[in-house]
Amino acid sequence: MPSSPASATESETLAIEPAAVGFDGGRPVSPVFEDIYFDADGPAETLRVFLGPAAIETRARAAKLFTVAELGFGTGLNFLVTANVAKAHRLHFVSFERHPLRRDDAEKALAQWRRDYPLATELLDAWPPALAGWHRRHFADGRIQLSIWHGDAADGLRDFTRQQRCGVDAWFLDGFAPSRNPAMWRAQLFQHMAACSVAGATVTTFTAAGQVRRGLEAAGFETRRVDQRPHKRHSIAGVFRGAGIAFAAPERVNVLGGGLAGACTARALAEKRVDVTLVDPAGIATGASAVPAAVLHGRLLAGASAEARLRAQAFAYSSERLRGLRGTRQTGVLQVAGVNANAERLRGVAGALPKDWVRFLSAEEASRLADMPVPDVALHIPSALTVNAAECVRALLEHPRIKADEVSDEGVTTVLATGAHRGEFSHLELTGISGQMDLFRVPHMPTLPLVGRGSLVPGAKGLWVGATYEYRPWPAGDGELANAKRLADWTKTAPGTAIDSFHGIRAVTSDRLPIVGHDASQERVWFSLGHGSHGTVTAPFAAECVASQIVGEAAPADAELLELLSPDRFHARQQRRPNPFRSRRTEAITPDRTPERS
Ligand SMILES: Cc1cc2nc3c(=O)[nH]c(=O)nc-3n(C[C@H](O)[C@H](O)[C@H](O)COP(=O)(O)OP(=O)(O)OC[C@H]3O[C@@H](n4cnc5c(N)ncnc54)[C@H](O)[C@@H]3O)c2cc1C
């Protein structure tokens, strides 16, 4: 079992060993913990032990937001039953799981309940990969939000309680019994719970262990025994008697910028019941987000460094978030070995990540899959998407809480999603770098996009080839020539003439990481900027982080990842050296002087 992300090092892997599950007449059991996942009457047990004694149905009814935190996600049955009963305007169900089930095992375990709980089908369809860290899923147009931490519960809970400012309404302490799983039930658990509860928060747990009851009492929960006969003697329920925490989320937010970053942020906020005014004087999806055939793939890394985790988590979240949306197709991708990632590196990536997520292929296997000659080994990433970004932006903005306007509202929280335009925030190390893709007619199309030596992306009218990376503006025509040559190199044919072209400006930071978070001096100004060449991967993830924090919820990224993306990082660097994007070398391409878009 790998250790938690918080203690991960370069040599570790992000893949989590899934739970070993046995089945005893359809009932899932853990041979390791010698315990059951749920009793024969499954949902009835959840109602009897967790929901009923905490009056979840009544308390959640008409609540603007009802947050449940559970220890031990298991098969997800408690989540499904809670989502069915808790008719809050929004339900956020947060769970911590050290040993996640394989999707196949979860499917088998939930088979008998799928008719009564149709959400089970959606949950299984969006089942998170066995990757360490936070995973988030949205159901019922955002009314139901599920966050799962894969890893040690203590690490996850520490991160969650540090971030979650709007508190928890109900705690479900599931997981295996204290005698079989003592690591989960340490005294610190109860302290974390107390630090993050609203006044009157409830706790329910199947266990009757005195140690648990004493721990809860010491942390400020008033507990009682709940008669569970004839199933078992009793369980514990309790109410938090401390002052608790509360957070007033803003009701309206301005989002500046109508590209992918702005649209994803607006949608994330709208689904969290915030009204959004979206402003873009140039029009919706007219910047880099007019790209007609972008590939959403993670540029995954081996190891468990913060950047490897960021890439894996952003890809896992964003591919699922955009999947099925208008303008997207789940095509998968082949990442072919090239100068940026050689064969050895790709092999390392495949070895470090779940097998059903990334596969290492020989050149022959890759060629067969692509139905065209592939010159080197490759990674096959089946969950990658091809995105018509403008179409996707328009689909994201179709929400009754989002209105496009010419002016932003006065005095409200504002998110800058303005690409390379940093406004008054001159410390942000951000610039614009042009790029071009060209569309060619080809006699034979690959079956899926290929990246790694430039990109070949099959589209309805031909093959999109790209993209150039123009540190300084190139003379007219050079972009097309470069892409024609790239295509000729792949196909070993004479360069052809493009039938269409896209030229845009990527917003690039000095460390090639996006800028996500709020300004140090102005709490009500937030950023989602600098998405560079991979906005389809980073913008949806950044949007969820920013929107969550604005409404006081924990982001689907732990503190270390949020720090990596924080706008504050540039202040510290500029103590040591000047802003590199304000030097003469890059002056010609600073945002104020970017060349005209073609
Ligand atoms: C040729 C090319 C190929 C690419 N290929 C891929 C790919 O394969 N995969 C991938 O993931 N990504 C790809 N990208 C990158 C991707 O397109 C971007 O990362 C993404 O579109 C960035 O979205 P954004 O919303 O941050 O920026 P933009 O789409 O540029 O949006 C910023 C918006 O802010 C607006 N704005 C500026 N100033 C203000 C202001 N003061 N007030 C209000 N609005 C303002 C602008 O008008 C603009 O519409 C490619 C980019 C290019 C150029």
Side-chain angles (χ1 to χ4, degrees), residues 369-392:
L369 183 66
D371 196 22
M372 74 173 266
V374 173
D376 208 331
V377 299
L379 291 182
H380 179 217
I381 306 166
S383 51
L385 309 181
T386 297
V387 180
N388 176 326
E391 203 52 35
C392 182

Side-chain angles (χ1 to χ4, degrees), residues 9-326:
T9 67
E10 283 288 339
S11 60
E12 289 175 324
T13 150
L14 294 179
I16 290 231
E17 188 65 40
V21 181
F23 284 87
D24 169 14
R27 206 173 59 150
V29 293
S30 166
V32 176
F33 291 98
E34 297 174 344
D35 207 345
I36 53 171
Y37 277 92
F38 51 72
D39 224 330
D41 62 348
E45 184 194 30
T46 297
L47 289 164
R48 196 169 60 233
V49 174
F50 294 107
L51 277 76
I56 299 292
E57 186 170 2
T58 322
R59 290 167 58 219
R61 194 176 301 140
K64 274 192 184 162
L65 169 68
F66 195 79
T67 305
V68 177
E70 170 199 53
L71 266 74
F73 187 68
T75 62
L77 188 62
N78 287 347
F79 162 66
L80 295 173
V81 177
T82 307
N84 204 38
V85 163
K87 301 288 183 217
H89 288 297
R90 277 189 72 229
L91 170 71
H92 186 192
F93 194 97
V94 185
S95 197
F96 301 85
E97 179 56 68
R98 182 165 189 147
H99 307 286
L101 265 70
R102 284 193 180 83
R103 191 198 167 284
D104 290 356
D105 286 331
E107 184 169 15
K108 204 166 159 190
L110 293 173
Q112 54 187 316
W113 314 117
R114 274 173 83 162
R115 229 191 33 206
D116 294 340
Y117 297 91
L119 187 59
T121 302
E122 287 178 57
L123 172 65
L124 290 167
D125 189 39
W127 196 255
L131 273 179
W134 284 112
H135 297 271
R136 180 162 292 176
R137 296 293 183 260
H138 310 271
F139 304 99
D141 295 328
R143 192 183 73 74
I144 300 168
Q145 180 173 299
L146 171 66
S147 301
I148 309 180
W149 169 266
H150 283 174
D152 188 272
D155 290 334
L157 204 55
R158 191 180 318 113
D159 188 66
F160 175 70
T161 49
R162 228 173 6 202
Q163 286 199 53
Q164 176 81 1
R165 293 194 286 163
C166 65
V168 169
D169 296 282
W171 296 91
F172 297 169
L173 304 188
D174 204 348
F176 300 115
S179 55
R180 300 192 169 110
N181 187 19
M184 197 188 98
W185 300 91
R186 287 181 289 233
Q188 222 183 15
L189 158 69
F190 308 116
Q191 302 301 336
H192 282 312
M193 288 169 57
C196 185
S197 288
V198 302
T202 52
V203 57
T204 41
T205 172
F206 67 92
T207 182
Q211 150 204 358
V212 172
R213 196 167 174 176
R214 285 190 295 278
L216 285 169
E217 292 275 352
F221 289 86
E222 186 180 297
T223 64
R224 65 191 159 90
R225 286 184 173 155
V226 181
D227 192 344
Q228 292 288 348
R229 284 171 299 182
H231 307 280
K232 58 185 284 190
R233 282 225 342 251
H234 53 253
S235 63
I236 298 173
V239 178
F240 185 58
R241 295 299 182 204
I245 58 172
F247 183 82
E251 291 184 358
R252 173 167 291 283
V253 167
N254 295 320
V255 174
L256 307 188
L260 264 176
C264 290
T265 309
R267 182 58 174 254
L269 285 163
E271 290 192 1
K272 294 180 200 306
R273 299 178 60 77
V274 177
D275 292 322
V276 177
T277 303
L278 185 107
V279 181
D280 191 329
I284 299 304
T286 48
S289 303
V291 59
V295 184
L296 192 165
H297 77 103
R299 292 179 308 138
L300 301 165
L301 298 172
S305 64
E307 194 161 346
R309 293 197 296 112
L310 173 69
R311 291 192 189 189
Q313 269 179 253
F315 174 62
Y317 175 78
S318 299
S319 54
E320 189 54 40
R321 177 67 162 150
L322 297 190
R323 185 166 66 98
L325 201 70
R326 208 172 68 231

Side-chain angles (χ1 to χ4, degrees), residues 360-447:
F360 184 82
L361 302 184
S362 66
E364 294 71 37
E365 289 169 319
S367 304
R368 266 200 302 281
L369 183 66
D371 196 22
M372 74 173 266
V374 173
D376 208 331
V377 299
L379 291 182
H380 179 217
I381 306 166
S383 51
L385 309 181
T386 297
V387 180
N388 176 326
E391 203 52 35
C392 182
V393 164
R394 283 191 280 272
L396 285 162
L397 294 178
E398 285 167 10
H399 191 286
R401 286 187 183 272
I402 304 174
K403 74 167 173 128
D405 211 332
E406 284 171 13
V407 282
S408 50
D409 295 308
E410 291 273 322
V412 302
T413 296
T414 296
V415 183
L416 264 68
T418 48
H421 296 257
R422 62 188 161 206
E424 69 198 73
F425 302 94
S426 57
H427 69 288
L428 300 177
E429 298 182 359
L430 192 58
T431 192
I433 294 185
S434 297
Q436 181 166 325
M437 296 182 82
D438 289 282
L439 183 68
F440 295 90
R441 279 213 183 88
V442 289
H444 184 73
M445 291 268 244
T447 54

